[in-house]
Amino acid sequence: MTSILVRANRNFLFQHPWQLALALIGISLGVAVVIAIDLALESSLQSFQQINQVVSGKTSHRIIARDGNLNEKLYTQLRVELGIPNLAPVIRGNIQLANHPGEPFKIYGIDPLIEDTFQSTWRLQTSNQKSAISLIRLVSEANTALIAKVTAEQLALKINDHLAIATPKGTLNLKIIGFLNQNSTISSQILKNLMITDISTAQEILNQPGKLSFIEFMSEGNNDKRFLESIRNHLTADTLLITSENQIQSMRQMTKAFNINLKALGMLSLLIGMFLIYNTMTFLVIQRRRLIGGLRCIGVTRRQIFTLIISEALFLACIGSLLGIFLGVLIGNALLQLTSTTIETIYYQVGQVALIISPEQLGKGMILGIGATIFAVLPPAWEATKVSPTSSLIRSQLERKIYKFTHIAGILGLISVLGGVILAFSSEKSIFLGLASIFILLFGFALMIPGLTVLMMKLLEKISNHFLGILGSLPPRMVGSEISRTGVAIAALMIAVSATIGMDLMVNSFRQTVSDWITTSLRADFYVSALSNQSSTQKQLIDQSVKDKINALPGVQMLSSVLHTRIISESGLIKASVFELNNKSQDGFIFKQKIDGNLWQQFEQRQTIFITESFAYFHELKVGETLFLHTKKGHQPFKIIGIYSDYSGDQGHIAMTRKWYQQYWKNSGFTGIGIYADTNANQQQLKQNIQKLLTPELTLKSNQSIYKASMEIFEQTFVITNALRWIAAGIAFTGVFSALMALQFERIKQFGILRAIGVTQRQLTLLIMTETGLIGLIAGVCAIPVGYFMAYILIFIVYLRSFGWTMAFHFNVSVLFQGLALAFTAALLAGILPAIKMAQTKPAEALRSE
Amino acid sequence: MSIIPAVAIHQLEKSYLESDQKHHIFSQLNLSIAPGEFIVLLGRSGSGKSTLLNLVSGMDQPDSGEIIVNGINLTRLPEHERTIFRRHHIGFVFQSYNLIPTLTVEENLLLPLELIKRINSTDRKKVIELLSKLNLSDRLDSYPDRLSGGEQQRVAIARSLIHNPDLILADEPTGNLDLDTGKKVLELLIGLVEKAGKTLIMATHSREVIGSADHVFSIRNQQLLPSNDNL
Ligand SMILES: Nc1ncnc2c1ncn2[C@@H]1O[C@H](COP(=O)(O)OP(=O)(O)OP(=O)(O)O)[C@@H](O)[C@H]1O
Ligand SMILES: [Mg+2]
């Protein structure tokens, strides 16, 4: 291709900055959202791995306790009695700097004298004599610590300076005796706000004497089976041996639903972004029809024209993708905190997180952006090759071909919809396939749009012709006759609006279900609960003594209690709720199966459990089956006698009575206490009396305030989803806007003729606005059933598979009207500018354009 | 008692701004056309023929001077009024036919009528009648892009006459047609206009029509001069 040819085109591109910007926005937003989500999730997991590398080095296994706290004695036992050499004990927790409260800081207590084999980051630097001494000093001198150089600089600390830590027993000054080695494999972000001390110092700061968070060690290959077995034999019912790989995998598993659902939204943005690109390129081809015709005339081949358009698109795609990656990193950083919090609440502590960007992820972003662009640009590039200088009617001929194509597209669409439905119901438990079915459905419905539009417009044309005359019948005719342009705009708007309707219906149903559930569950008048303790990984529990005192208060009719803990089962660590229930709180359970009269009797008196429906879904358990739990009396069978609704966590848990828990596990405090007042008790007075009994870590809440707080959390979980949805809608709107702009631009001559024969400016504006309004209405009308469909699949397939929750479909008519109104106003708004611009174009000028 | 001229132009000035340079098309142009006359406008390409027709139809405005059509001073009318005026009093025939592609032949002809009044069955009869005069009665329901160039131009001629305007403006009506077809179309146009007693201004390159014209002007040096060819 000659450089002149390229230049002729490139100049043209830069003469239309507005269109250029739209195309770039389309590509970059789509890429950004996908990249951001990917980066945030992967970084959370990677940070977890890196922090292990820093603290313990290379390890393959980890011993953990079900409640998070290991007894130090286990370490001594394994090391001394079993003579196992390579063990790395770790205690970790969150601390507060006395002079920088609110700044998150983590402490890791380690044993600096363990063997070299771990190759941990802090260990590697001991090759250098000076720091070897500082390691010994970590143990030999009390209250000494290592921090990263960046942190030291930030806090303006030098070696031998002191750092004040707030502990439960007052301020403690730690002497900085060395810096953590920074190397290229570890992100410097990870080392920030992190300190390493020896175990006893950390235990003292965290106020957990004799406790460890975990013990790690390295074990390679299968010949270590006997070795692992001997360790396992030493573990109590409260401890568990897991592989590091296993742990990463479970984290991945746990965040899968979260991950896939967010990525789907990212893909939706990209899909709509593709429409924008398609649109811009089409617009650029139309505007250049004369130029292209001229080029063809002087001997430029079709292939050259095609290459020209595609290379132009590639150029845009590269810039757009790069911008998208940049934007994606920014958004990813913001998302990171959110995703890691989610992971932490679901599973283990992640520790410090940092955005870790890998070249593969960036490559993925590039490929995604470029691939989507090329795909979207093929039709306009093809159209460009069809431009011939001799035939001035090529547009209408093309339209006629496309007209035929609407039939084929309609049939293909129908097949896709059917395929999507089949996939949705036959894909068993796969979340990915569930979401894929939504995409296939959306795609199918979008394909049916042009055919449907033509049909509807034919009908409308007849009606309007009869009532409004020829001028009045022009809008539906214009929509129908240029279906290759209008059809795409309608389809894009339809997808965006149906996604909005679908998600609104889903969230509304979900909200209603959760609200019903909370209302049903909250039986007590007041609840006492423990705040999570800042300085440890463990949640503070309520003492038995507090409960006894509350029970003795006048006006208290009865109490209930719950302990949220973890139990080791055959399939690993599971969550358990241990209840003391009364006849009122029993009504708070919503069972998924028919219950008979003696269910509660069985629950109290036999070795039985209830499980939540998520738990049942993910562990494939049914009523009547048995779950084996590790207890201090060996593996014990617990019969499942009930499955109940719970929307509080997404992996589910089991429920048992406190009586059975105490029999098999060591006694501990309570997470929450429910207080039932006498019917004639003065609630205000009672509340004050209870308050007097509580320590500062404990809070007292009425059931209304718990309800309110719970619903607030519910709304918060949809913040990202909502933001992403509006981004998608925003892209769609821009797309519709530019499509309408392009469409009207193409028709400028037709408008010139109308003006020449006496159509006024006002009539022309009305004409164009009616057309765009129609486009919005069709999109809105089609979006209603599609959105409804989408909500159905989201509720009964995607959410069920993601979280194991079943919810009721709460149909809400106002959501449908809102969707319709959204589509209509969006199109109308998008039409205003082109309409005004067209009406104000002088007819003489309009007639001059070809 | 003097007859009101169909078109009167006084001291017309028109220029275009092209990259900060004023490009004069007309200066101090004057013209008067009596009702029922047939005027031919000659002039090389770019001399301003189309511009003059656009000014006369009220689609364009001059820098200064007056354009009076049927006694109405177009230069003093606001845009909206000019459009309404055009709707009632002017018929247009373009070089590239310019029919509305989404309307059938019949609808293309009914549209100018509809802009003026409610359409009734006599209007439809009128359309059929006019089309049969143009040998197009069998193409009533065809869309424009199904017709040949000559056929489309005949429809365009019908459209310019259907609402019974006083003034017909034709801008190179045969420019896109072959010689033979062009001749036939011209004959039809001139014949119909004459029979109805309308005023016709035609911009053209073809010299065949000169014979039937009442006056021939050509645009030279930004002025309208009687054409030498006629002498
Ligand atoms: N909107 C405009 N902006 C700038 N210049 C214009 C504009 N419209 C017309 N012109 C210029 O005015 C001059 C007259 O144009 P016009 O179209 O009236 O010529 P014409 O005599 O009809 O030519 P042809 O025989 O080729 O149709 C030309 O030089 C043209 O470049
Ligand atoms: Mg011209």
Side-chain angles (χ1 to χ4, degrees), chain A residues 848, chain B residues 45-46 48-51 53 95 171-172 203 205:
Chain A
R848 283 172 61 88
Chain B
S45 179
K49 300 184 292 296
S50 301
T51 307
L53 293 185
Q95 176 175 350
D171 192 352
E172 293 180 47
H205 289 292

Side-chain angles (χ1 to χ4, degrees), chain A residues 788-808:
Chain A
Y788 192 90
F789 225 87
M790 195 168 153
Y792 187 90
I793 294 183
L794 278 175
I795 291 174
F796 294 109
I797 290 173
V798 176
Y799 264 65
L800 177 68
R801 289 176 193 175
S802 298
F803 306 109
W805 295 329
T806 54
M807 25 178 170

